[in-house]
Amino acid sequence: MAIKAQAPIGIFDSGIGGLTVAREVKKWLPDEQIIYFGDTAHLPYGDKSTAAIQAYSIKIADVLIQQNCKLILIACNSASAAAYDLVKAYVASKAHVFNVIDPVVNYLRENHPSQKVGLIGTKQTVGSGVYLQKINALNAGIQLKSLATPLLAPMIEEGFHLENISNEIVASYLSQPALSDIQALVLGCTHYPLIKKQIMDFYKGAVDLIDASETVAQSVAAFLGYHQLLAKKATAKEDRFLVSDYTVSFEETTKLFFGKQIRLQKYPLWE
Ligand code: DGL
């Protein structure tokens, strides 16, 4: 089956944090229809096993293929680390598959060769060692220093990201010896763009903060353009935001991550 330019872009995450990526995709590709899937019934992925994340990811990929998505973007670092290869093999020629890690690794090769680079993310993302493997495979002399920062995502979700307490948590993580003397820091979790300013202030602007959402949206745009798969404005349909479990609180939190509140539609993964 040929992949069609007017088909939607599918984006998925463990919950609503991936809306930071969806927001950037809309910014770069305003004429595209997106179908977002937030696996709110199973979040957080950050402390789940690889096997569990793989099972959820395959099920979600199925939903997005049923919606005829031309491209599936795994907008979650934990799922990108645990399930990208599997989803790609599963989807095969039905859609293109993107993750949030490779565009960042490419950015590091171009901009930070032979430097010391930090990574913060969930336990799953850091523990998987995927960033380390991909960066080592570049042979670009990049030294990666990783630190799991599991308190940050729930803190942001609960709306504490602009309080003094969050400055202290951020400072306490970033002052760990593991992250000393870095020239760049990968914000390896979909939630972290919301605390970019605090992190910037901590480093007084001296460290390049790599926000995957921007880098990934730009590479999806370039890819679709190159393959003549960009939708025409006239064919754009309304975006859809599906969640495996619905609560009013999830819907309200969309404001935080997407910039405006959106309507979530319940779509259980297993009945
Ligand atoms: N979206 C996840 C990630 O980027 C963070 C939240 C979670 O643990 O599910 O790793």
Side-chain angles (χ1 to χ4, degrees):
M1 199 180 67
I3 295 177
K4 299 208 173 71
Q6 60 271 43
I9 296 177
I11 302 179
F12 82 85
D13 176 44
S14 57
I16 38 222
L19 286 172
T20 53
V21 181
R23 185 183 185 174
E24 280 299 314
V25 169
K26 282 308 278 186
K27 193 168 122 193
W28 287 88
L29 296 165
D31 295 339
E32 300 288 334
Q33 182 200 11
I34 60 167
I35 300 188
Y36 181 88
F37 195 101
D39 192 8
T40 46
H42 301 114
L43 70 79
Y45 279 7
D47 47 18
K48 296 282 184 309
S49 68
T50 299
I53 299 174
Q54 288 179 338
Y56 304 147
S57 300
I58 291 294
K59 197 80 184 154
I60 298 167
D62 245 345
V63 173
L64 297 174
I65 290 168
Q66 278 161 28
Q67 307 287 326
N68 293 319
C69 291
K70 61 184 168 191
L71 184 144
I72 295 177
L73 167 57
I74 309 179
C76 172
N77 277 268
S78 310
S80 293
Y84 169 67
D85 290 338
L86 196 71
V87 170
K88 199 169 160 56
Y90 181 78
V91 167
S93 60
K94 295 188 206 90
H96 298 286
V97 182
F98 265 66
N99 63 52
V100 285
I101 297 177
D102 288 328
V104 167
V105 170
N106 291 337
Y107 176 91
L108 290 174
R109 184 187 47 210
E110 300 296 318
N111 297 281
H112 295 284
S114 307
Q115 290 187 359
K116 205 165 163 185
V117 173
L119 162 73
I120 52 172
T122 64
K123 287 183 196 164
Q124 163 64 225
T125 300
V126 171
S128 72
V130 168
Y131 274 96
L132 188 66
Q133 264 166 35
K134 294 193 180 213
I135 286 171
N136 285 348
L138 297 176
N139 270 326
I142 299 170
Q143 204 189 336
L144 186 74
K145 299 281 171 188
S146 314
L147 183 73
T149 49
L151 266 185
L152 298 181
M155 174 191 91
I156 295 166
E157 256 165 44
E158 290 302 325
F160 277 105
H161 59 293
L162 300 175
E163 315 273 333
N164 283 340
I165 188 169
S166 70
N167 284 333
E168 285 189 27
I169 295 173
V170 167
S172 141
Y173 274 137
L174 300 182
S175 357
Q176 302 284 318
L179 295 178
S180 60
D181 306 322
I182 51 170
Q183 271 102 35
L185 179 70
V186 177
L187 308 184
C189 174
T190 48
H191 290 50
Y192 301 171
L194 272 77
I195 49 167
K196 198 169 169 182
K197 175 152 185 330
Q198 270 118 317
I199 299 178
M200 189 86 85
D201 289 349
F202 176 86
Y203 287 118
K204 302 192 169 53
V207 165
D208 181 16
L209 299 185
I210 304 156
D211 174 351
S213 56
E214 268 170 33
T215 320
V216 169
Q218 288 170 33
S219 58
V220 168
F223 178 88
L224 292 178
Y226 182 80
H227 291 279
Q228 303 191 339
L229 280 173
L230 289 167
K232 308 269 177 304
K233 194 166 186 109
T235 64
K237 300 205 187 92
E238 232 183 272
D239 298 329
R240 294 178 65 201
F241 299 89
L242 313 175
V243 282
S244 48
D245 188 25
Y246 175 89
T247 66
V248 173
S249 153
F250 286 143
E251 197 157 74
E252 283 170 0
T253 318
T254 60
K255 224 184 294 168
L256 204 61
F257 293 99
F258 201 64
K260 61 175 186 204
Q261 191 166 326
I262 45 188
R263 203 172 64 82
L264 299 178
Q265 224 179 312
K266 188 169 173 185
Y267 194 108
L269 269 188
W270 280 277
E271 285 293 18

